[in-house]
Amino acid sequence: MAKPKPSFMDTIVSLCKRRGFVFQASEIYGGIGNTYDYGPLGVELLRRVREAWWNGVVVERSDVVGLDSAIIQNPKVWEVSGHVGGFSDPMVDCKKCKGRFRADKLEDAKCPEKPSKQPGQCDGELTEPRSFNLMFKTNVGPVEGSGSVAYLRPETAQGIFLNFLNVMNAGRLKPPFGIAQIGKSFRNEITPGNFVFRTREFEQAEMEFFVPPADYAQWFDHWKNARYEWYKQYGIDPAKLRLRDHEEDELAHYADRCGDVEYEYPFGWGELEGIAGRTDYDLKHHSEGSGTDLVYFDPQTKEKYTPFVIEPAGGINRMALTFLIDAYEEEQLEKDTRVVLHFHPEIAPITVGVFPLVKKDGMPEKAREIEGELRRARMATFYDEKGAIGRRYRRQDEVGTPFCVTVDGDTLSDGVVTVRERDSMEQTTVKVADLRAYLEGAMRTWKRPERVAPAGA
Ligand code: ATP
């Protein structure tokens, strides 16, 4: 009997493992539910995504600065922020199979009974939903006890609110301004899953933008649109992207409005990034809780107010997964099928593959020399001399390398190389002396090619 065709997500998971993007964590011990490690290409992909986000939110603007705050803060922070009391998801138990599920995501959950069904379909009765707090508790210091309890942060945002005065005073900033942070967050998710889409440990990219209350609505719209456009700028299919405003009953305890950038995943539409209006909730609560007045005071006008906050919050791992899924194509060529990741060149883990045509006549040495020059220019390269040249191109296509440079006899005699472009597979002869400028130009002018239907779609 023919083997069933793997689902699109299975294809992505297996590519990730085979090519060293993502591995199961603690694999040799049987893993630990829905937890992942990132291999060499995965690390590079995350680094690119992080950098692109930081460029869009911080570097390209004059009104946003960065911060790196501690993961474990004074536990009072989480009481005052409302997370101890309110950072929870509704949970139901199945009385038959004893499975626990998130009540508002039942359609995404699988019952542990085989054949796997949706919760409640195994004839088991589901309990009434009750609140399950998502924060991980830990103990700080050598003595365990109620006085040593602390929490792993479930969002990076609070570290920003705690440093509002420090950053504003050190930078002599005046609203509107933003403070951005990228770092790990931890949530004891009831039902993690869909590969790295929802995990218990993940990297968040958040920015708190502090504005005069009168400008709140306008800045909220600005950030919603800016973040939506950012995904398009990096090549994500606009047909699979949408902005969706939250209904009142979906809002987090601190928000009065929220718009999500959503993507159509193989498992349905899901949040990619949320843009929340947090009002003055956090600064007000921390002012009361700490006794420190977290306000802006204008020395000229003597005006004093608590800024309102707009927060774009995305997950770096979820963005990386989205770039992978969106870039993947199986292209039907004349003789065979080509697997290719059409990453934006600034997102691709490797920028240039460098190959000697054959392993002789001084070509490997010349290729190594060219590769070294590109590396020194901070381009991510990969040197490969194994196998037929066509197969080397295909190996790079599969991990999304936008350019391959081949050194042949003409390189040694005429100082030219062949540049092969991933998307069109076209080859161009370029002078070695012009190579760097050529590649940089091609990166700047890159456009996502017309899409063919992805595998399994
Ligand atoms: P959900 O409703 O899906 O649980 P959320 O609305 O609680 O998500 P936010 O608090 O807005 O999520 O977090 C901001 C971003 O962080 C999300 O848009 C997502 O990209 C990422 N994120 C949140 N939770 C996880 C997780 N468990 N694993 C991976 N990324 C996550």
Side-chain angles (χ1 to χ4, degrees):
M1 213 170 64
K3 268 211 225 149
K5 198 171 182 307
S7 74
F8 183 37
M9 276 313 282
D10 289 343
T11 305
I12 294 287
V13 172
S14 112
L15 171 75
C16 282
K17 173 156 193 199
R18 191 172 71 251
R19 298 308 306 268
F21 283 94
V22 183
F23 306 121
Q24 187 185 15
S26 306
E27 190 177 6
I28 59 170
Y29 286 100
I32 164 166
N34 294 94
T35 307
Y36 298 93
D37 296 335
Y38 288 78
L41 291 184
V43 168
E44 289 301 320
L45 177 62
L46 292 177
R47 192 170 71 81
R48 302 294 164 131
V49 173
R50 210 181 282 133
E51 205 167 293
W53 187 91
W54 196 260
N55 283 339
V57 173
V58 183
V59 179
E60 289 164 20
R61 301 186 61 105
S62 56
D63 53 2
V64 182
V65 294
L67 179 77
D68 189 25
S69 69
I71 286 174
I72 296 177
Q73 300 279 358
N74 187 318
K76 197 145 180 243
V77 169
W78 306 106
E79 285 164 29
V80 171
S81 69
H83 284 80
V84 171
F87 192 62
S88 45
D89 280 334
M91 179 174 73
V92 292
D93 290 86
C94 173
K95 290 183 181 166
K96 184 171 169 221
C97 72
K98 308 290 177 226
R100 292 194 145 172
F101 312 101
R102 203 170 133 176
D104 60 337
K105 301 262 183 222
L106 282 181
E107 67 283 4
D108 298 341
K110 287 262 185 316
C111 163
E113 294 218 333
K114 300 280 178 235
S116 197
K117 296 177 180 160
Q118 274 187 0
Q121 290 178 352
C122 65
D123 300 330
E125 194 192 331
L126 296 178
T127 60
E128 283 300 306
R130 60 191 193 288
S131 282
F132 175 77
N133 195 292
L134 301 180
M135 281 202 296
F136 277 102
K137 271 189 193 161
T138 186
N139 290 89
V140 170
V143 185
E144 253 188 53
S146 58
S148 69
V149 167
Y151 301 95
L152 301 188
R153 67 178 176 202
E155 60 171 26
T156 64
Q158 295 304 320
I160 296 178
F161 296 123
L162 301 178
N163 284 286
F164 167 72
L165 282 185
N166 286 338
V167 174
M168 185 169 66
N169 293 340
R172 295 193 289 149
L173 304 172
K174 174 180 177 177
F177 72 89
I179 306 175
Q181 158 151 249
I182 298 181
K184 285 261 170 125
S185 288
F186 304 82
R187 295 180 185 179
N188 197 5
E189 298 278 2
I190 300 165
T191 19
N194 287 325
F195 196 32
V196 295
F197 179 83
R198 188 181 304 284
T199 51
R200 296 195 169 106
E201 170 182 340
F202 58 98
E203 200 175 352
Q204 261 191 328
E206 295 193 297
M207 195 271 289
E208 309 306 312
F209 200 73
F210 301 93
V211 301
D215 301 341
Y216 181 54
Q218 169 206 328
W219 277 110
F220 177 72
D221 288 343
H222 167 87
W223 278 110
K224 228 169 49 170
N225 292 325
R227 293 309 304 147
Y228 177 72
E229 289 301 321
W230 181 88
Y231 289 98
K232 287 206 298 194
Q233 181 192 333
Y234 282 95
I236 298 286
D237 187 353
K240 295 198 166 209
L241 267 186
R242 72 179 184 197
L243 266 171
R244 188 183 68 82
D245 284 326
H246 276 210
E247 301 293 331
E248 191 105 345
D249 62 352
E250 283 180 273
L251 292 171
H253 64 272
Y254 47 72
D256 74 343
R257 64 195 73 193
C258 189
D260 284 347
V261 180
E262 293 190 334
Y263 182 78
E264 192 178 13
Y265 294 93
F267 41 86
W269 286 93
E271 173 182 336
L272 181 49
E273 175 160 346
I275 297 87
R278 294 182 78 127
T279 67
D280 54 2
Y281 181 96
D282 301 273
L283 290 181
K284 277 238 164 97
H285 277 76
H286 285 307
S287 293
E288 283 159 24
S290 67
T292 302
D293 227 4
L294 303 179
V295 293
Y296 171 71
F297 175 70
D298 191 322
Q300 259 115 47
T301 61
K302 309 284 179 229
E303 188 195 11
K304 183 173 136 176
Y305 63 87
T306 307
F308 271 45
V309 173
I310 292 107
E311 173 199 76
I316 297 293
N317 315 78
R318 199 176 282 185
M319 290 178 206
L321 174 67
T322 311
F323 279 114
L324 264 164
I325 289 173
D326 197 70
Y328 187 95
E329 271 181 5
E330 286 180 11
E331 247 175 59
Q332 205 53 53
L333 303 179
E334 242 169 64
K335 291 203 188 106
D336 60 352
T337 308
R338 162 174 100 123
V339 172
V340 53
L341 297 178
H342 291 289
F343 283 134
H344 186 292
E346 283 174 39
I347 296 293
I350 302 168
T351 314
V352 202
V354 183
F355 314 148
L357 182 63
V358 288
K359 263 197 283 183
K360 57 181 186 186
D361 302 334
M363 289 182 210
E365 292 75 11
K366 189 68 192 168
R368 286 277 189 200
E369 190 187 310
I370 291 172
E371 196 224 352
E373 276 166 29
L374 295 174
R375 264 183 201 277
R376 280 189 290 281
R378 297 277 179 273
M379 277 196 185
T381 59
F382 183 81
Y383 177 85
D384 189 3
E385 57 180 26
K386 289 183 219 81
I389 196 79
R391 293 191 54 135
R392 282 182 259 167
Y393 287 146
R394 292 298 179 86
R395 279 204 293 265
Q396 292 307 308
D397 290 342
E398 202 189 33
V399 296
T401 306
F403 311 104
C404 290
V405 170
T406 301
V407 167
D408 58 18
D410 291 346
T411 314
L412 303 160
S413 58
D414 304 334
V416 292
V417 287
T418 303
V419 178
R420 187 260 196 186
E421 208 265 333
R422 175 197 66 202
D423 299 335
S424 64
M425 294 187 281
E426 269 169 22
Q427 304 195 2
T428 314
T429 304
V430 179
K431 278 196 194 141
V432 175
D434 300 337
L435 181 60
R436 188 176 148 197
Y438 176 89
L439 293 172
E440 285 169 354
M443 282 179 80
R444 270 196 303 276
T445 53
W446 178 86
K447 288 240 161 15
R448 169 85 201 226
E450 209 51 24
R451 280 152 218 275
V452 298

